[in-house]
Amino acid sequence: MPGRTLPTLTKAEVESHNTTKSCYVTIGTNVYDVTDFVESHPGGADLILDYAGKDVTEILKDSDSHKHSDSAYEILEESHVAFLVTEKLAPNGNVQKKVADSQINGKVTPYVHPRTGMSCEEDLNKETDYTSDYKQHKFLDLNRPLLMQVWNGGFSKRFYLDQVHRPRHYKGGASAPLFGNFLEPLSLTPWWMVPLIWLPCVSYGTYLASQGFESTLGLVTAWASGLFIWTLVEYILHRCLFHLDDYLPDNRVGITLHFLLHGVHHYLPMDKYRLVMPPALFVVLATPFWKLAHSLFYWNWHLATAVFCGGIFGYVCYDMTHYFLHHQNLPLWYKELKKYHLAHHFLDYELGFGVTSRFWDRVFGTELVTVVKTK
């Protein structure tokens, strides 16, 4: 069913299961273990073994060769064990377009994306069965604090990235325990804290910057420039820092830092208290940009401060937009952006890095195809 999280297999791995002891077949990107059905197949074991490790889409459709009953499709559905990764998804790729397609004659489950285990944005809100999820995947037990499980898990980078990008949902959207001690409150940030803390800082900084401008137009231009620069910074941070997956060190230090910085958000994307950036973390990330602004515009402290304040205002808009895209029923002109961002979670986390807009995704060729959901 949609929302299941199953492992991914390469074509070569599937093809290796081609004997009576282990027999896999595929339909599209769904992988089925039909080992137990080989000897009892009405057409004989040899017919199944001829297609062992191969795609059986066409033979199932071919009623002249062998007509298949509804029970055959039910057996397949019960035998669904993995997803086939056949290609790297790219903008406008065929795999993305298949998300709205159903499998053969609607007999088998709707298309489930092989890298996230989901078929639509509604799956992000389907509560995870903690016990069965941990028993099946041997990743994280949502009943226990997560951070030390990541630290002590001994996960390889490949396994970690595969699992952390398969979204789970905790107790109707509540926050799963991260630290499990007195540090827990520091990891939880309600959305309203962002404007409450940072807008007064932006206002005061803009006031100080204004003292060095002879005209309001000059101040507005500098401030707006900072706002525009933020849109690029937003894209770069999301793509090159939060999703530095290919360059992530294959050790527990790198994996744990990735989980704290952004992995936990992809693992539990509907956690409303881990959607916006905690103030302490923001200060750490913002400090280098303060220094950078004053290094670039070293000749004018007021100009550098105005640009920086415009950028911080852009950040405030970003974090609030991010929260509302996940948790608010938005006006019509915002719904397409909501669909676009949630597709980054359930469809393809390696595309669609823009949150407040898809402008830079279009510029850099990482735009994500927005999927039209079918009934």
Side-chain angles (χ1 to χ4, degrees):
M1 67 178 69
R4 293 174 65 187
T5 53
L6 296 174
T8 55
L9 298 176
T10 65
K11 186 176 181 181
E13 288 173 323
V14 173
E15 290 174 346
S16 68
H17 294 269
N18 58 4
T19 68
T20 55
K21 294 183 179 179
S22 181
C23 182
Y24 286 7
V25 297
T26 64
I27 299 177
T29 57
N30 287 354
V31 180
Y32 302 94
D33 182 353
V34 296
T35 307
D36 295 338
F37 187 61
V38 172
E39 297 299 335
S40 59
H41 184 249
D46 289 342
L47 183 58
I48 288 189
L49 292 175
D50 286 342
Y51 286 89
K54 303 176 183 177
D55 190 276
V56 295
T57 301
E58 295 304 320
I59 191 64
L60 285 176
K61 288 181 178 180
D62 188 359
S63 58
D64 293 334
S65 172
H66 179 67
K67 186 174 182 179
H68 292 86
S69 64
D70 289 345
S71 61
Y73 294 98
E74 292 172 1
I75 291 172
L76 278 177
E77 187 167 350
E78 293 170 358
S79 305
H80 189 194
V81 294
F83 298 103
L84 177 67
V85 178
T86 58
E87 59 181 305
K88 176 177 173 61
L89 302 184
N92 303 313
N94 292 330
V95 177
Q96 290 180 28
K97 295 179 181 178
K98 291 178 183 175
V99 172
D101 297 340
S102 58
Q103 293 285 354
I104 304 170
N105 299 321
K107 296 286 187 180
V108 187
T109 56
Y111 181 87
V112 180
H113 197 276
R115 283 156 54 181
T116 63
M118 296 195 161
S119 63
C120 61
E121 62 191 56
E122 283 79 6
D123 285 349
L124 295 170
N125 286 300
K126 290 186 177 180
E127 191 164 312
T128 301
D129 184 325
Y130 314 150
T131 303
S132 63
D133 181 74
Y134 179 69
K135 183 178 179 181
Q136 178 179 356
H137 298 289
K138 301 295 189 295
F139 183 48
L140 300 179
D141 182 356
L142 285 167
N143 289 303
R144 300 187 291 120
L146 302 177
L147 184 63
M148 293 311 295
Q149 292 185 71
V150 176
W151 179 257
N152 294 319
F155 307 126
S156 68
K157 181 176 77 169
R158 179 179 178 183
F159 176 79
Y160 164 78
L161 290 173
D162 177 71
Q163 288 297 320
V164 84
H165 289 111
R166 294 176 179 273
R168 275 73 163 183
H169 190 56
Y170 184 81
K171 292 182 180 178
S175 295
L178 183 63
F179 295 103
N181 55 31
F182 68 94
L183 294 173
E184 195 70 31
L186 297 178
S187 72
L188 306 174
T189 310
W191 71 269
W192 48 263
M193 284 190 67
V194 173
L196 183 67
I197 293 175
W198 301 121
L199 285 183
C201 296
V202 170
S203 299
Y204 182 63
T206 302
Y207 166 74
L208 293 179
S210 68
Q211 307 304 303
F213 285 86
E214 296 181 356
S215 68
T216 302
L217 179 61
L219 174 65
V220 170
T221 301
W223 200 89
S225 297
L227 179 59
F228 177 75
I229 291 171
W230 163 258
T231 64
L232 178 58
V233 171
E234 171 197 319
Y235 176 87
I236 292 173
L237 285 177
H238 194 185
R239 181 179 181 181
C240 301
L241 179 61
F242 298 165
H243 284 275
L244 78 170
D245 301 353
D246 291 340
Y247 305 99
L248 184 68
D250 196 356
N251 57 54
R252 67 179 184 176
V253 175
I255 288 173
T256 303
L257 288 175
H258 180 276
F259 187 77
L260 282 173
L261 189 63
H262 197 60
V264 66
H265 174 55
H266 272 264
Y267 187 63
L268 296 163
M270 303 310 286
D271 182 341
K272 61 178 61 178
Y273 292 110
R274 293 196 177 104
L275 266 171
V276 299
M277 194 173 295
L281 178 58
F282 175 73
V283 170
V284 171
L285 293 177
T287 299
F289 287 99
W290 168 265
K291 294 183 179 297
L292 177 62
H294 285 80
S295 296
L296 292 175
F297 304 102
Y298 62 90
W299 67 89
N300 190 324
W301 184 92
H302 299 90
L303 172 62
T305 301
V307 171
F308 181 77
C309 287
I312 297 303
F313 180 77
Y315 154 73
V316 172
C317 293
Y318 154 80
D319 243 356
M320 293 177 67
T321 298
H322 190 203
Y323 179 87
F324 293 147
L325 293 180
H326 278 261
H327 288 291
Q328 295 296 321
N329 187 18
L330 301 167
L332 183 62
W333 53 276
Y334 241 142
K335 288 186 184 296
E336 187 62 30
L337 188 59
K338 178 185 180 81
K339 181 185 296 184
Y340 184 74
H341 178 65
L342 294 184
H344 170 73
H345 284 280
F346 82 83
L347 176 58
D348 190 352
Y349 57 86
E350 292 186 336
L351 297 172
F353 299 107
V355 174
T356 53
S357 81
R358 62 176 75 186
F359 173 76
W360 293 110
D361 279 318
R362 288 171 174 161
V363 171
F364 293 110
T366 56
E367 187 173 9
L368 180 59
V369 174
T370 302
V371 179
V372 179
K373 183 182 68 175
T374 57
K375 294 182 179 180

